[in-house]
């Protein structure tokens, strides 16, 4: 590459860069940036609302699941404990016999 072509590329780059800075700093570009940021903020708000709803639903599901497990555990414990009335009757009978002696 010759020195002239290198210089031409450099000057072209400087001109393109300068024009780019002017375009990026224009009022129209600032309006576009403002609208883009506003859209991003709306999207963020929508995402946060959805995340809050999901979190609340997950808390409700967790509470319901814990309640189901507590009921199931109580039912299993009730099945494991035999009826104590027979044992109480035998104990009272033994007390009565001991008092009679």
């Amino acid at each position: 590459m010759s020195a002239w072509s290198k210089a031409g590329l450099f000057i072209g780059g400087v001109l393109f860069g300068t024009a780019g800075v002017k375009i990026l700093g224009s009022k129209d570009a600032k309006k576009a940036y403002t609208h883009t940021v506003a859209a991003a903020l709306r999207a963020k708000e929508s995402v946060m609302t959805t995340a809050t709803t999901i979190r609340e639903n997950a808390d409700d599901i967790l509470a319901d699941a814990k309640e189901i497990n507590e009921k199931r555990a109580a039912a299993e414990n009730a099945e494991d404990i035999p009826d104590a009335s027979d044992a109480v009757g035998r104990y009272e009978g033994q007390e009565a016999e001991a008092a009679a002696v």
Side-chain angles (χ1 to χ4, degrees):
M1 219 190 242
S2 72
W4 286 108
S5 62
K6 288 182 183 180
L9 286 174
F10 176 75
I11 292 172
V14 169
L15 290 175
F16 185 72
T18 303
V21 169
K22 293 237 182 217
I23 290 171
L24 293 175
S26 70
K27 287 183 179 181
D28 290 334
K30 287 180 183 178
K31 283 183 183 179
Y33 305 149
T34 303
H35 287 284
T36 302
V37 170
L41 290 174
R42 286 191 304 272
K44 176 189 168 204
E45 185 64 31
S46 175
V47 168
M48 293 305 293
T49 302
T50 302
T52 300
T53 302
I54 290 171
R55 186 176 297 127
E56 289 170 355
N57 288 339
D59 290 342
D60 292 344
I61 290 169
L62 179 62
D64 290 344
K66 286 181 178 180
E67 184 178 331
I68 289 170
N69 284 339
E70 288 172 2
K71 286 180 181 178
R72 181 174 284 176
E76 288 176 0
N77 287 339
E79 292 174 4
D80 292 342
I81 300 172
D83 187 15
S85 62
D86 292 336
V88 170
R90 284 189 300 239
Y91 177 75
E92 287 175 351
Q94 291 174 355
E95 274 187 344
E97 288 176 10
V101 176

